[in-house]
Amino acid sequence: MSPERYRQVKQIFQAVLDVAPQARAAYLTETCAGDDELRGEVVSLLAAHDDAGEFIEVPAVAAITHSETEDGALSVVGQRIGPYQVLREIGHGGMGTVYLATRADDQFKKRVAIKLVRRGMDSDFIVRRFRHERQILASLDHPNIARLFDGGTTEDGLPYFVMEYIEGLPMDEYCDRQQLTTVERLELFRTVCAAVQYAHQNLVVHRDLKPGNILITADGTPKLLDFGIAKLLNPELTGDTIDVTMTGMKLMTPGYASPEQARGEAITTASDVYSLGVVLYELLTGHRPYHVSARPPHEVMRVICEEQPSKPSTAVSKDEVITNSDGSAKTTITPEMVSRTREGQPDKLRKRLSGDLDNIVLMALRKEPQRRYTSVSQFAEDLRRHLTGLPVIAREDTVGYRTGKFVTRHKAGVAAAVLIAIALLGGMMTTMWQARKAERRFNDVRKLANSFLFELHDAIEKLPGSTPARALLVKRALEYLNSLGQEATNDPTLQRELATAYEKVAQIQGDPFYANLGDIDGSLQSYRKASVIREALMKAAPQDATARAEWATCLTHLGDLLGYTRSANDALEMYRKALQLREQLVAEQPTQLARRQELASSYEVIGDALHQKGDLPGTLENFRKSLTMLEELTRQEPDNAKVRRGLAVMHYKSANAVDATGDKPGGLEHARQALTIFSALATADPMSTVAQRDLAMSYNALGDLLWGADDLNGAMENYRAALVRRERLSAADPANAQLRRDAAVSIANVGYVLAQQGDAQSAIEHYQKTLTMLESLFATNPGNADAQRDLATYRAYYGDVWKILAGQKHIASSQQITAWQSAIAQYQQSLKLVLAMREQGTLRGQDAGQPEKLNGEIAQCQAALARLNGKQ
């Protein structure tokens, strides 16, 4: 049989399977149009199919809606297969049966599903196909993919494998029963996308994605099933090569099949993108993009390959009668019925789907594979962008569209900006009008200042791009409170408000642990003012636990800044004062979570300062205390995001400290634990700049450790992940010096690895971009010791890059000379900055030996340059 003839037979065979048995004869008469040989081939395949069943299509799970079946003579219910006791049958076909079983050897209790080849169907072909599916499952280990536990051969020679047993509902049925909103459906769908993307990364294309192959458990966890017709993109993963086009079985579900599947063409990951698009269309609208059941093959092909689906927002407005394959009416789907399980009202659902979601779904359903999303992860990312109010890839990028997205995304920020203008104007007018009534003026201005400080500021604090607005709010609040403080020095409540204002403005001015404007000197001055007020309040009321806790926090912030601008010793002085206060508070209030978390923070920062001094044992001891406390707090409060972030930070810091002892595997383990927690927090709060920055920082830290372990590929992967996030954050808030500095560091890290990998031009381009950014930060605030230190450090690193390039054997001697000269120039510029810092008294203890080190590098480069010139 020629390939063209076989394709025709296969298409008719696949289509006739969707026709009711009693209607198949008439269907074949019409479709085969007098071609008796063609009809005979299809009838032969149907007979084989009826004998063989659909073993591969029986998933090793049980949907809640499945009914139990019995298979008399061949049943192994009650028997043992390996260490498993078979309890009951949960599915069967002509080639095999799926059983529910439990571990029977008392090692542990666990229910599983067992797939077993039927006696009489264990031909070489069937066994090879069986092993093919088992090999695919063995290569996948993901929480949202049904797992393979075991496999083997029964005593009488029948192969089997043991899988995770899942009770759940098909995805569409679960969403409707739970009446999930559109947003909840999209979030659930993104989880499924992550599982499919994982399979693709492991070189497996599923090829039969549909709601029935995605079960949702009672706790809302999706599980991807049935890789029976999956395609291995890498045949080396298995010794068996299976040509799934030659199995004589129904190897796709036409309603979810891509055009290239329908045509019998090569299958890629784009086919799964298409099938996921059909699934999402159905989840959002309650309708299929098109129906192909009971149609002749040429009509099935035409519909799948040519018919354009309606927009989802249009589809939800129509009535549709769903019929059985024998033609009898089953149910009518109405707009009211669809919206009732989603957004409540048809108009609301239609509005929710129009725009971005229409475009996203239709992009996934494009007929040409190359015009769809390039990957499942890009598909899921576009959904994330839609959910967070960002512009999506599937929509034309116009100015009006982006502006609308910005306003939607920053409603709070835009509203706050309007409120600032109104409040400032209103406040000024009110102040002038009330000048005659001093007491009333005092209370109203105080109320206005506190509104700026605690309500408006906190409402926009985490929004991208909010730094300038925050600075203005706090500045105005501080002006008001300063004037009031002069009038009421004996009012403790007002003094506390004034201290809080100084702390907030200090954070914005230049605290490196917050989004800031780069003014470290101003920040230090504000923290000192706050500390003086806090200390006075505590001394005035020594039994006031809140006053002591607030002073301890202020001392910690002050220590952070002193550690940056002066030395670790200055920082330690502040940290130890705070530690003494916090230990007293925990002793008095041992059950208060906040107090214990603050104490853990004190151990953390003391460990930081000791690390800066080079006291590694002291560092590890304090980090261990903090980590132990935070692990206990996390067990008590597993959903507390603040506690979990604290734990992630401690794993992040412990990674570097442990690595410094020479325990590289231990350091990497801490770094990966930090990344796991930061990733979960960023996913849970995608609009939080802090959460996204933490995640980028964690990627960067893991990259550093992998680079130190000589894993350049692993380092590059993590450095690039950090860079993508940092550039996105910096672009969203260009006034934020902290985020701009983060992006500059990541660009340099990628450039350094590129140099080691031999990509000289790209490495140079990355470092030039980094230095331009750092020079801009330094020029904006030349008194910022941190910016000066960064510029000196990365000029020295750029010198290292030129040294690496000069040492490459394959380049010409003239290029080597240029590289050595460039290295010397960068080291000399770095040395100039470092010597200026020494003169200014801002050179930290850990950098004390930097001038000598740089002089040594310059001398080494000059010696190499002299040798090269001597050879000319």
Side-chain angles (χ1 to χ4, degrees):
M1 184 186 301
S2 68
E4 293 76 13
R5 183 66 164 181
Y6 175 75
R7 187 175 295 114
Q8 184 183 13
V9 171
K10 186 183 72 171
Q11 289 169 355
I12 297 174
F13 166 70
Q14 290 170 347
V16 80
L17 287 172
D18 287 330
V19 177
Q22 62 270 28
R24 287 177 178 173
Y27 177 84
L28 287 175
T29 298
E30 176 188 350
T31 304
C32 295
D35 189 336
D36 293 337
E37 182 181 353
L38 175 62
R39 180 185 177 115
E41 293 288 353
V42 176
V43 170
S44 175
L45 285 177
L46 280 171
H49 178 272
D50 291 339
D51 288 340
E54 297 181 24
F55 169 67
I56 297 296
E57 275 66 35
V58 178
V61 292
I64 292 172
T65 54
H66 286 180
S67 61
E68 294 185 21
T69 61
E70 296 182 358
D71 192 2
L74 295 180
S75 174
V76 294
V77 172
Q79 299 179 25
R80 285 183 60 163
I81 297 178
Y84 301 96
Q85 183 75 31
V86 177
L87 301 178
R88 61 183 171 87
E89 181 182 321
I90 55 176
H92 73 280
M95 285 190 298
T97 307
V98 183
Y99 297 95
L100 175 65
T102 186
R103 188 88 182 189
D105 57 2
D106 296 326
Q107 293 294 316
F108 52 87
K109 296 293 183 182
K110 189 176 188 65
R111 294 204 302 174
V112 298
I114 297 180
K115 261 190 178 182
L116 178 66
V117 170
R118 289 185 60 174
R119 173 62 61 196
M121 298 304 300
D122 48 342
S123 66
D124 288 344
F125 173 77
I126 299 302
V127 170
R128 286 175 60 215
R129 186 167 177 188
F130 183 91
R131 287 174 177 164
H132 177 75
E133 180 181 7
R134 187 166 69 186
Q135 182 61 49
I136 287 176
L137 290 172
S139 70
L140 302 178
D141 182 13
H142 189 277
N144 299 113
I145 296 177
R147 290 173 294 165
L148 177 70
F149 291 141
D150 201 356
T153 305
T154 64
E155 293 180 356
D156 54 351
L158 296 177
Y160 69 88
F161 59 88
V162 182
M163 290 183 61
E164 180 180 7
Y165 172 71
I166 298 167
E167 284 192 276
L169 286 168
M171 190 174 186
D172 55 344
E173 188 177 344
Y174 174 87
C175 291
D176 287 347
R177 284 199 186 185
Q178 298 294 321
Q179 296 191 354
L180 299 189
T181 64
T182 298
V183 170
E184 290 168 334
R185 289 168 188 251
L186 292 175
E187 293 291 4
L188 188 65
F189 181 79
R190 289 185 69 240
T191 304
V192 174
C193 286
V196 177
Q197 179 63 23
Y198 170 83
H200 289 178
Q201 290 169 341
N202 283 270
L203 307 178
V204 175
V205 183
H206 190 284
R207 307 209 303 182
D208 195 21
L209 291 166
K210 55 187 177 184
N213 280 341
I214 308 167
L215 293 191
I216 314 298
T217 64
D219 66 355
T221 300
K223 290 285 186 177
L224 188 58
L225 318 173
D226 199 356
F227 284 77
I229 66 168
K231 176 184 181 182
L232 280 172
L233 297 178
N234 182 4
E236 294 179 0
L237 291 176
T238 174
D240 296 320
T241 56
I242 302 291
D243 181 359
V244 293
T245 65
M246 298 301 292
T247 61
M249 290 187 178
K250 179 185 176 185
L251 297 185
M252 64 177 181
T253 306
Y256 299 88
S258 64
E260 59 268 27
Q261 278 179 288
R263 291 190 294 263
E265 297 173 352
I267 304 301
T268 66
T269 55
S271 299
D272 278 354
V273 171
Y274 183 93
S275 298
L276 284 170
V278 179
V279 172
L280 182 58
Y281 191 109
E282 193 169 1
L283 289 180
L284 296 178
T285 69
H287 299 271
R288 299 266 185 89
Y290 29 68
H291 292 277
V292 296
S293 59
R295 293 193 181 196
H298 67 277
E299 269 296 295
V300 172
M301 175 79 74
R302 186 195 64 77
V303 169
I304 294 176
C305 298
E306 299 175 16
E307 190 174 293
Q308 296 297 329
S310 303
K311 293 181 179 180
S313 59
T314 301
V316 295
S317 301
K318 66 182 181 182
D319 293 325
E320 182 179 4
V321 178
I322 303 298
T323 59
N324 291 323
S325 57
D326 61 1
S328 61
K330 184 178 182 181
T331 187
T332 300
I333 299 177
T334 66
E336 292 72 22
M337 181 188 302
V338 171
S339 61
R340 189 163 53 246
T341 58
R342 289 165 176 81
E343 298 293 335
Q345 297 295 327
D347 288 344
K348 186 177 180 182
L349 178 59
R350 185 163 48 250
K351 184 178 179 182
R352 181 70 184 82
L353 299 182
S354 64
D356 281 356
L357 287 177
D358 278 340
N359 284 280
I360 289 171
V361 174
L362 293 180
M363 183 169 176
L365 291 176
R366 286 175 179 169
K367 304 300 182 184
E368 308 86 354
Q370 67 275 13
R371 295 186 63 233
R372 297 174 205 149
Y373 288 104
T374 57
S375 67
V376 174
S377 62
Q378 189 186 54
F379 186 5
E381 170 63 13
D382 229 12
L383 290 173
R384 184 196 69 79
R385 294 179 67 83
H386 166 72
L387 289 170
T388 54
L390 293 168
V392 300
I393 298 170
R395 188 82 175 265
E396 185 181 357
D397 192 11
T398 64
V399 174
Y401 173 62
R402 293 185 68 86
T403 302
K405 282 293 177 184
F406 179 85
V407 173
T408 301
R409 191 164 70 249
H410 296 287
K411 284 180 180 178
V414 173
V418 173
L419 285 172
I420 292 169
I422 295 172
L424 285 173
L425 180 61
M428 291 169 61
M429 294 177 65
T430 302
T431 301
M432 293 174 62
W433 179 70
Q434 291 179 339
R436 304 171 202 172
K437 299 181 180 181
E439 184 177 357
R440 184 175 176 187
R441 170 193 173 278
F442 182 94
N443 291 329
D444 284 353
V445 174
R446 179 175 176 178
K447 182 178 179 181
L448 177 63
N450 278 289
S451 176
F452 279 174
L453 191 59
F454 298 107
E455 296 173 2
L456 294 179
H457 174 272
D458 292 351
I460 68 170
E461 181 179 12
K462 293 184 178 180
L463 290 175
S466 65
T467 303
R470 290 171 55 223
L472 179 60
L473 282 171
V474 177
K475 180 181 177 183
R476 291 289 179 265
L478 197 55
E479 289 172 357
Y480 293 142
L481 289 172
N482 269 328
S483 66
L484 296 181
Q486 294 170 6
E487 299 176 31
T489 55
N490 295 323
D491 184 341
T493 305
L494 180 60
Q495 291 297 309
R496 179 170 287 172
E497 292 167 3
L498 189 58
T500 301
Y502 278 126
E503 288 165 350
K504 284 186 179 291
V505 81
Q507 292 170 4
I508 294 171
Q509 283 173 312
D511 189 325
F513 293 97
Y514 296 87
N516 68 82
L517 299 172
D519 181 9
I520 289 186
D521 288 339
S523 179
L524 186 59
Q525 186 179 9
S526 295
Y527 273 136
R528 287 192 186 281
K529 290 179 179 180
S531 179
V532 170
I533 297 172
R534 296 286 191 203
E535 184 178 11
L537 288 170
M538 190 203 72
K539 288 179 177 178
Q543 302 306 314
D544 185 343
T546 301
R548 282 182 285 157
E550 288 174 343
W551 189 38
T553 299
C554 187
L555 287 169
T556 301
H557 289 314
L558 190 53
D560 291 342
L561 220 51
L562 287 170
Y564 269 87
T565 58
R566 293 192 177 183
S567 69
N569 288 331
D570 292 320
L572 275 171
E573 182 183 351
M574 298 296 111
Y575 292 155
R576 284 171 173 153
K577 283 183 182 179
L579 176 66
Q580 186 177 5
L581 290 167
R582 287 172 170 175
E583 285 178 336
Q584 292 172 358
L585 289 166
V586 169
E588 294 168 11
Q589 303 169 322
T591 60
Q592 280 208 17
L593 180 141
R595 297 289 178 255
R596 287 184 290 156
Q597 189 175 3
E598 289 161 359
L599 179 56
S601 175
S602 275
Y603 289 129
E604 172 193 339
V605 293
I606 288 174
D608 288 338
L610 292 172
H611 200 192
Q612 187 177 329
K613 285 169 61 69
D615 181 359
L616 200 53
T619 300
L620 291 170
E621 174 62 17
N622 280 276
F623 281 178
R624 182 192 60 76
K625 289 180 180 178
S626 181
L627 200 58
T628 300
M629 293 187 71
L630 289 167
E631 285 171 341
E632 176 60 28
L633 291 172
T634 304
R635 284 191 289 272
Q636 294 175 11
E637 299 271 352
D639 297 324
N640 187 317
K642 186 176 180 181
V643 172
R644 290 169 62 206
R645 181 183 183 273
L647 179 60
V649 169
M650 277 317 308
H651 276 302
Y652 160 79
K653 292 184 175 181
S654 297
N656 290 319
V658 170
D659 181 77
T661 67
D663 180 7
K664 293 193 178 298
L668 285 169
E669 177 59 27
H670 278 294
R672 289 183 172 120
Q673 289 191 55
L675 181 60
T676 298
I677 301 172
F678 281 135
S679 181
L681 291 171
T683 301
D685 193 3
M687 292 300 292
S688 169
T689 299
V690 173
Q692 299 303 321
R693 181 175 183 263
D694 283 343
L695 179 57
M697 172 193 70
S698 190
Y699 274 117
N700 193 73
L702 182 54
D704 287 343
L705 294 182
L706 290 168
W707 178 83
D710 295 325
D711 182 357
L712 292 184
N713 290 334
M716 178 64 87
E717 180 182 352
N718 284 277
Y719 282 154
R720 287 197 186 280
L723 176 58
V724 167
R725 288 160 176 81
R726 285 177 165 178
E727 286 188 326
R728 185 186 303 147
L729 289 170
S730 179
D733 194 358
N736 189 325
Q738 178 194 52
L739 299 179
R740 287 160 61 201
R741 190 258 180 192
D742 287 349
V745 169
S746 279
I747 292 168
N749 288 341
V750 171
Y752 203 93
V753 177
L754 286 168
Q756 291 182 300
Q757 292 176 333
D759 189 348
Q761 187 58 42
S762 294
I764 291 168
E765 290 171 0
H766 277 70
Y767 261 88
Q768 287 174 340
K769 187 174 181 181
T770 290
L771 290 172
T772 299
M773 295 170 71
L774 293 177
E775 283 169 348
S776 173
L777 287 170
F778 184 47
T780 303
N781 190 358
N784 186 331
D786 250 11
Q788 190 174 9
R789 183 179 296 108
D790 281 341
L791 190 55
T793 298
Y794 282 90
R795 284 216 173 273
Y797 287 161
Y798 193 23
D800 292 345
V801 167
W802 280 112
K803 256 181 70 175
I804 292 169
L805 300 178
Q808 292 176 356
K809 304 297 183 184
H810 63 277
I811 65 174
S813 59
S814 60
Q815 292 174 306
Q816 285 183 303
I817 289 172
T818 300
W820 285 119
Q821 289 172 336
S822 299
I824 291 170
Q826 294 303 322
Y827 287 137
Q828 287 175 335
Q829 291 186 59
S830 177
L831 179 61
K832 182 179 178 181
L833 289 164
V834 170
L835 291 175
M837 290 167 62
R838 176 184 281 178
E839 222 174 281
Q840 295 158 6
T842 57
L843 195 64
R844 291 192 294 185
Q846 66 184 42
D847 297 324
Q850 191 69 0
E852 289 71 24
K853 180 182 178 183
L854 287 166
N855 276 319
E857 295 288 359
I858 292 169
Q860 183 186 25
C861 293
Q862 287 173 335
L865 190 58
R867 287 194 299 271
L868 277 171
N869 284 325
K871 295 178 181 179
Q872 297 293 315

